[in-house]
């Protein structure tokens, strides 16, 4: 139910009010994130993933010499191939038939429609690439063989998409009332200004970038590294197969539940800037596939028992992740009239207000996993992330970078979710926190 009232309230990304210096400091990942990714790229492909070897090279040869000598290189053919990949995803996103889904209400009260054809696009993409490989038009190991040029192209497109988002927000914004300007152009470039930038009625830049560029590339990169390992070594190791299976389960879950994804923090709350644009064009494909990148060139053979434990842990993490999210979706879909763990759902009915002056009702679930902790879904994500890294079967620090990144990201999101929840729901959120006192893991945090 929605009621029009006079008092205005909104939530979402922090807007004006912070100092320019604080905003500029918060935007430093515009520089540091590409540098970190460059270090990972060089370490993995020029020093076999060895940080000590990288350190000695930096010490003996000089930082700028090493970075310049081993950085990703522009290659015209590879850049054209990547451009065709992006264009193909644009065509599928815009014209491939698929169900229509409704997103979550924005702070300004907009409810947007999306074409959620991601699962069909994933199938078409992989069938098309498979057919090209079968007919000899594409080398199955193309990705690792051209990784330097591909990383350069990803960076190029990521920065171009970030610039496009920044310019569009100033020149032709979609739903200006949902935009946030901080007063610091660097922070706005980094965190984004528009919440849901679109071209036309349905081409949503945020969903396209997250789903069709980032997530779609994940399994393509993995499978190409599997093919490369077979081509180079004559066999495929259990480690790379199991990692690829876990990655594929996660990616297919994303596309199969694309309608649910419309109500997650990425789509419902994050504004579209460098953080998401470059992050999905470049950071996601490079960071999230570190395990198969390494295994494609360095097959490892941990014991069967070790692989079984690590893989099972990943499946448990995925099952927890899916169970937690399904509980909340079911309770909200049935307006609380359902059972959770065999008992009537316990929840708090609350209201929130959008900046157009309308008050809306919502539910804060406080039973099942959501009575266990306020972010149990993130725990499933973390278990899955650590198992993906563990399957590589090495103590090499670089191979654990993905798990470390996910830990920092999700703990930071816990804190941001708390701030947003209190801003959106007011005292009802405080009551919810009293009922469910633990953020992530009971007894720890």
């Amino acid at each position: 139910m929605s009621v029009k009232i006079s008092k205005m309230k909104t939530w979402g990304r922090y807007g004006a009010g912070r100092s320019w210096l604080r905003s500029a400091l918060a935007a430093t990942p515009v520089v540091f994130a590409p540098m970190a990714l460059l270090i990972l790229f060089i370490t993995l492909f020029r020093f076999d993933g060895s940080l000590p070897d990288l350190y000695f090279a930096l010490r003996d040869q000089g930082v700028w010499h090493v970075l310049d000598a081993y950085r990703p290189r522009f290659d015209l053919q590879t850049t054209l191939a990547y451009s065709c990949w992006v264009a193909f995803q644009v065509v599928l996103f815009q014209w491939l038939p698929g169900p229509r889904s409704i997103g979550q209400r924005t702070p300004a009260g907009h409810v947007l429609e999306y074409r959620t054809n991601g699962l069909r696009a994933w199938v078409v993409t992989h069938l098309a690439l498979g057919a090209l490989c079968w007919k000899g038009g594409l080398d199955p190991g193309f990705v690792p063989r051209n990784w330097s040029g591909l990383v350069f192209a990803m960076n190029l497109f990521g920065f171009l998409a970030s610039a496009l988002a920044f310019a569009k927000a100033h020149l032709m914004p979609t739903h200006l009332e949902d935009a946030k300007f901080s007063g610091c152009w660097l922070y706005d470039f980094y965190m984004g200004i528009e919440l849901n930038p679109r071209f036309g009625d349905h081409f949503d830049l945020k969903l396209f970038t997250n789903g069709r560029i980032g997530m779609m590339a994940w399994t393509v990169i993995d499978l190409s590294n599997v093919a490369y390992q077979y081509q180079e070594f004559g066999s495929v190791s259990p480690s790379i197969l199991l990692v690829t299976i876990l990655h594929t389960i996660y990616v297919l879950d994303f596309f199969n539940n694309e309608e649910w994804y419309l109500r997650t923090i990425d789509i419902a709350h994050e504004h579209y800037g460098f953080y998401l644009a470059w992050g999905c064009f470049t950071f996601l494909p490079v960071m999230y596939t570190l395990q198969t990148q390494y295994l494609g060139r360095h097959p490892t053979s941990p014991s069967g028992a070790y692989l079984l434990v690590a893989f099972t842990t990943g499946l448990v993490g995925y099952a927890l992740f899916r169970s937690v999210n399904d509980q909340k979706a079911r309770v909200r879909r049935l307006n609380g009239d359902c059972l959770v763990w065999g008992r009537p759902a316990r929840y708090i009915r609350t209201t929130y207000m959008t900046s157009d002056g309308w008050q809306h009702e919502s539910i804060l679930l406080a039973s099942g996993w959501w009575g266990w902790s306020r972010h149990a879904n993130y725990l499933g994500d973390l278990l899955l992330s650590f198992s993906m890294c563990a399957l590589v079967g090495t103590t090499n620090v670089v191979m654990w970078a993905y798990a470390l990144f996910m830990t920092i990201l999700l703990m930071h999101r816990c804190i941001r979710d708390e701030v947003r929840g209190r801003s959106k729901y007011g005292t009802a959120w405080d009551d919810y926190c009293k009922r469910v006192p633990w953020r992530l893991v009971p007894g720890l945090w």
Side-chain angles (χ1 to χ4, degrees):
M1 184 179 70
S2 300
V3 179
K4 184 76 178 236
I5 56 180
S6 58
K7 185 180 178 182
M8 302 278 187
K9 185 176 181 180
T10 190
W11 69 94
R13 200 206 86 185
Y14 195 84
R18 65 165 70 204
S19 69
W20 197 94
L21 178 60
R22 183 184 172 195
S23 296
L25 289 174
T28 53
V30 171
V31 175
F32 292 134
M35 286 298 296
L37 216 61
L38 175 61
I39 293 297
L40 282 175
F41 171 85
I42 292 174
T43 304
L44 188 58
F45 286 94
R46 305 301 182 183
F47 298 97
D48 297 325
S50 172
L51 286 175
D53 287 352
L54 172 66
Y55 166 75
F56 291 126
L58 293 172
R59 185 194 64 183
D60 297 339
Q61 302 175 36
V63 173
W64 294 114
H65 174 78
V66 170
L67 295 182
D68 181 64
Y70 300 128
R71 62 179 170 81
R73 301 288 177 178
F74 171 76
D75 179 80
L76 179 60
Q77 182 178 1
T78 304
T79 302
L80 289 175
Y82 184 76
S83 301
C84 290
W85 155 265
V86 174
F88 185 53
Q89 295 308 315
V90 168
V91 170
L92 294 180
F93 185 72
Q94 182 67 12
W95 287 288
L96 185 68
R100 303 281 182 168
S101 302
I102 302 300
Q104 185 166 297
R105 194 181 306 276
T106 73
H110 296 289
V111 178
L112 304 179
E113 185 181 80
Y114 296 80
R115 182 185 290 111
T116 47
N117 59 8
L119 185 59
R120 298 180 185 185
W122 186 90
V123 172
V124 170
T125 295
H126 287 72
L127 286 178
L129 292 176
L132 278 174
C133 293
W134 180 263
K135 294 296 184 179
L138 179 67
D139 173 14
F142 175 86
V143 171
R145 284 195 169 85
N146 297 275
W147 191 236
S148 177
L150 284 171
V151 172
F152 185 97
M154 291 176 194
N155 272 285
L156 175 62
F157 273 74
F159 276 97
L160 288 175
S162 304
L164 173 65
F166 186 78
K168 182 182 178 304
H170 285 86
L171 300 176
M172 45 182 297
T174 307
H175 303 138
L176 183 60
E177 58 273 24
D178 271 322
K180 290 290 184 72
F181 294 86
S182 69
C184 173
W185 69 266
L186 184 59
Y187 183 78
D188 289 342
F189 177 81
Y190 171 58
M191 284 304 298
I193 299 170
E194 287 194 84
L195 182 60
N196 301 108
R198 291 187 164 201
F199 291 112
D201 293 331
H202 295 105
F203 196 93
D204 188 273
L205 278 174
K206 193 194 297 185
L207 181 59
F208 171 74
T209 304
N210 284 15
R212 304 307 185 270
I213 298 300
M215 296 298 290
M216 195 73 69
W218 196 343
T219 45
V220 171
I221 294 170
D222 283 350
L223 292 171
S224 189
N225 275 284
V226 172
Y228 179 82
Q229 187 188 88
Y230 180 78
Q231 291 171 339
E232 292 295 307
F233 301 97
S235 62
V236 177
S237 68
S239 292
I240 197 170
L241 284 178
L242 293 176
V243 170
T244 300
I245 289 171
L246 286 184
H247 286 178
T248 303
I249 289 173
Y250 192 78
V251 170
L252 287 178
D253 178 271
F254 171 90
F255 287 120
N256 189 52
N257 296 280
E258 195 170 18
E259 182 180 9
W260 158 83
Y261 181 66
L262 301 179
R263 292 180 286 278
T264 63
I265 185 173
D266 287 341
I267 296 296
H269 300 295
E270 299 287 14
H271 288 240
Y272 186 74
F274 179 88
Y275 175 78
L276 285 180
W278 180 86
C280 293
F281 267 97
T282 314
F283 191 86
L284 190 161
V286 176
M287 172 65 80
Y288 289 24
T289 62
L290 281 175
Q291 304 92 42
T292 52
Q293 292 175 46
Y294 178 83
L295 289 169
R297 289 173 165 79
H298 307 90
T300 57
S301 301
S303 69
Y306 173 88
L307 291 175
L308 178 63
V309 170
F311 184 69
T312 302
T313 302
L315 294 179
V316 169
Y318 166 72
L320 175 59
F321 167 81
R322 178 45 44 212
S323 175
V324 173
N325 288 306
D326 283 347
Q327 276 187 0
K328 180 192 281 188
R330 187 174 76 255
V331 170
R332 289 190 169 178
R333 184 176 66 253
L334 299 176
N335 198 29
D337 186 18
C338 62
L339 300 179
V340 175
W341 287 356
R343 299 179 180 180
R346 292 184 291 111
Y347 52 85
I348 297 173
R349 286 200 179 275
T350 183
T351 60
Y352 64 93
M353 198 181 307
T354 48
S355 61
D356 56 3
W358 286 87
Q359 181 174 274
H360 312 272
E361 290 187 350
S362 187
I363 286 177
L364 296 175
L365 179 59
S367 62
W369 291 115
W370 298 94
W372 187 73
S373 81
R374 300 196 294 270
H375 303 286
N377 55 326
Y378 291 164
L379 181 60
D381 244 336
L382 288 174
L383 284 174
L384 187 55
S385 301
F386 274 88
S387 68
M388 291 170 178
C389 297
L391 282 169
V392 180
T394 177
T395 57
N396 189 315
V397 175
V398 171
M399 286 301 98
W400 293 88
Y402 171 63
L404 176 62
F405 163 74
M406 290 298 292
T407 301
I408 296 171
L409 173 71
L410 295 179
M411 290 182 69
H412 185 238
R413 282 195 170 184
C414 282
I415 296 171
R416 293 175 64 200
D417 286 349
E418 304 282 306
V419 174
R420 184 178 293 109
R422 187 165 288 106
S423 173
K424 184 175 182 179
Y425 299 115
T427 56
W429 182 263
D430 295 328
D431 293 340
Y432 172 62
C433 291
K434 290 177 183 178
R435 288 200 195 186
V436 188
W438 298 104
R439 277 177 171 162
L440 188 62
V441 181
L444 291 178
W445 190 54

